[in-house]
Amino acid sequence: MIRNKLLIFCVVCSLSTLFAVNYTSAGLFSSPDNLQEAGEELAQNLSVAGVLANKRIAVLEFKTQGAVQDSMLGKRIAEYVSSGLVGIKDHNWDVVDRFEIARLRNEMEEHKDSVFDFNVWMRKKLQADLLVLGNYVIAGDDISITTKIVNPESGSTVSSASITLSANSEIKQLSKTRKPRTKFAGAVEDITAILTGNGRGIGNQGKSSSALKLYKIAGGNRIPFKRSNVPVFNVGDKMGFSVMPPINSKLYIFNYEPGAEKGEAILLYPIPGLRLESFPAKRTRRFPSYVSRGVTSYDVDPPLGRMVFKIIGVDDTINLDLTNSLKVEDGYYLLDSSNLNSFMDDLSSLPDISWWSEDVEFWIQ
């Protein structure tokens, strides 16, 4: 849990900073170095021979083989493959974003006691012509990923690909991390447009750096994490983060614990009674000092495990306050299962280019 002298809140991270970049053949002649490169290479191989031309494609979560319990790794692989498909230069297909799948998952809960054909249902609701399915297995120090594109009407496979790479620290950490415990946490994680860069909206397209950056604070100095390192804090550390919006934005910064039994997300900014301000594009603001003057860090406390900051930015010319759909509890705005659908409806009413989002995940040990 993260605390400071003025603000007390539980934090759980789920960063999936994804880059929609043009495919570069980093792994064509050698094994890719990380999951992002693996996703790009798989996407490139799946798209050969024009099988995806003019199609609408839904990428579903990858499954683990064997008796190992599904973890966050399958979800992350699917996200990287999705961004890889969108990042291929001059592509002529559409990819269903995770926000739509999240809304559909909520709807599916209403039919959980019914018997129906999942693939047909997905095709009708998502209007997807093709589904990307896949699985993975970790053996020793390597991970093997296989994937295929299936026509949901005929059940036929139209394309397939596989890849093997070394299991780096990100892969090992995600393979040990449980999926969100509640359906609420799973849906909140998918309130993001990972398919247009590090977030949603025209301001993030092609962006190569993160809008939200975590850092440790030691001896009064800010110590950033290297891009190749998984952000890990020890209990007793001090932390902070900075935000640099890609467009002039009204910001909403949530924090939550995906593994918590109670599904809820606390709004770190804004807080009730604080005027909702516009954050200028390309200018950095640091937290918690922006909210609590004189307070420069959060204390890192239990619980242990994966934590998430979710930031949503809305074009400041849009006349919409997302806190209107939230409730107030103990001095904070709160998002939970009782108001999640209303919140998602408000977001979905906005033009795609008028809002963006980013998740930043870290671990407490």
Side-chain angles (χ1 to χ4, degrees):
M1 186 158 55
I2 309 302
R3 300 174 183 269
N4 66 35
K5 298 175 184 177
L6 301 178
L7 300 177
I8 300 177
F9 48 86
C10 285
V11 181
V12 182
C13 83
S14 155
L15 159 65
S16 261
T17 304
L18 299 174
F19 307 102
V21 297
N22 291 341
Y23 176 78
T24 58
S25 53
L28 273 180
F29 303 106
S30 61
S31 297
D33 292 330
N34 52 54
L35 274 184
Q36 181 182 342
E37 290 182 3
E40 292 171 356
E41 186 167 333
L42 287 169
Q44 182 74 18
N45 292 338
L46 288 171
S47 66
V48 298
V51 296
L52 306 184
N54 303 314
K55 302 295 185 182
R56 179 171 163 85
I57 306 152
V59 182
L60 305 187
E61 187 174 312
F62 281 47
K63 302 297 182 181
T64 183
Q65 290 182 319
V68 181
Q69 184 177 3
D70 282 334
S71 64
M72 278 298 299
L73 183 55
K75 182 181 180 69
R76 189 59 45 79
I77 295 171
E79 292 171 351
Y80 281 131
V81 172
S82 295
S83 60
L85 287 170
V86 171
I88 293 176
K89 187 176 181 179
D90 298 328
H91 67 273
N92 57 352
W93 53 80
D94 294 322
V95 179
V96 180
D97 70 35
R98 305 299 297 181
F99 185 61
E100 290 185 64
I101 294 177
R103 289 174 59 85
L104 202 53
R105 182 185 296 118
N106 282 345
E107 181 180 332
M108 189 173 67
E109 285 303 306
E110 300 176 4
H111 305 280
K112 61 184 178 181
D113 296 325
S114 305
V115 177
F116 59 93
D117 188 311
F118 177 76
N119 285 343
V120 172
W121 182 76
M122 284 289 285
R123 189 198 188 305
K124 288 182 177 179
K125 295 295 184 178
L126 284 178
Q127 297 181 341
D129 302 303
L130 300 171
L131 302 178
V132 177
L133 311 175
N135 54 60
Y136 65 91
V137 60
I138 297 178
D141 293 329
D142 294 332
I143 177 174
S144 296
I145 305 170
T146 59
T147 183
K148 61 182 178 180
I149 295 182
V150 175
N151 183 319
E153 285 194 338
S154 65
S156 62
T157 297
V158 299
S159 182
S160 63
S162 62
I163 200 168
T164 298
L165 66 153
S166 296
N168 62 10
S169 60
E170 178 190 20
I171 292 171
K172 292 177 180 178
Q173 188 73 60
L174 289 169
S175 70
K176 297 183 292 185
T177 302
R178 294 178 55 181
K179 293 166 62 175
R181 181 170 297 187
T182 63
K183 297 179 180 64
F184 166 84
V188 170
E189 287 206 13
D190 285 334
I191 301 178
T192 185
I194 60 172
L195 306 183
T196 53
N198 291 333
R200 185 169 190 136
I202 193 169
N204 263 3
Q205 291 178 4
K207 198 163 146 309
S208 60
S209 62
S210 173
L212 192 154
K213 295 182 178 180
L214 296 175
Y215 47 80
K216 289 184 180 180
I217 298 179
N221 297 317
R222 293 186 291 268
I223 305 173
F225 290 93
K226 295 180 179 179
R227 286 184 60 183
S228 58
N229 291 349
V230 175
V232 177
F233 294 90
N234 295 313
V235 172
D237 284 347
K238 294 185 180 297
M239 69 163 304
F241 63 88
S242 63
V243 179
M244 187 174 69
I247 59 175
N248 295 341
S249 308
K250 292 180 286 188
L251 298 183
Y252 303 85
I253 304 175
F254 293 90
N255 57 87
Y256 66 99
E257 180 187 356
E261 293 184 4
K262 184 179 181 181
E264 63 182 22
I266 296 174
L267 196 60
L268 178 59
Y269 179 86
I271 57 176
L274 188 66
R275 185 169 64 91
L276 188 61
E277 299 184 14
S278 172
F279 286 70
K282 308 302 181 182
R283 290 186 59 184
T284 298
R285 294 289 186 271
R286 301 191 185 279
F287 290 79
S289 57
Y290 185 82
V291 177
S292 306
R293 293 187 179 276
V295 180
T296 59
S297 65
Y298 302 115
D299 295 331
V300 179
D301 294 328
L304 308 182
R306 177 173 172 261
M307 312 290 163
V308 178
F309 287 131
K310 174 179 287 292
I311 179 172
I312 295 175
V314 178
D315 188 323
D316 65 359
T317 64
I318 300 295
N319 185 23
L320 174 67
D321 185 350
L322 293 177
T323 63
N324 290 336
S325 60
L326 306 180
K327 62 184 180 182
V328 177
E329 186 174 297
D330 297 328
Y332 295 94
Y333 290 112
L334 191 69
L335 178 68
D336 60 17
S337 57
S338 70
N339 52 26
L340 177 59
N341 285 339
S342 297
F343 184 81
M344 293 173 72
D345 286 343
D346 285 345
L347 272 181
S348 62
S349 70
L350 297 174
D352 282 354
I353 63 171
S354 69
W355 70 281
W356 58 275
S357 67
E358 183 176 345
D359 289 358
V360 176
E361 64 185 353
F362 60 96
W363 280 259
I364 296 178
Q365 64 182 18

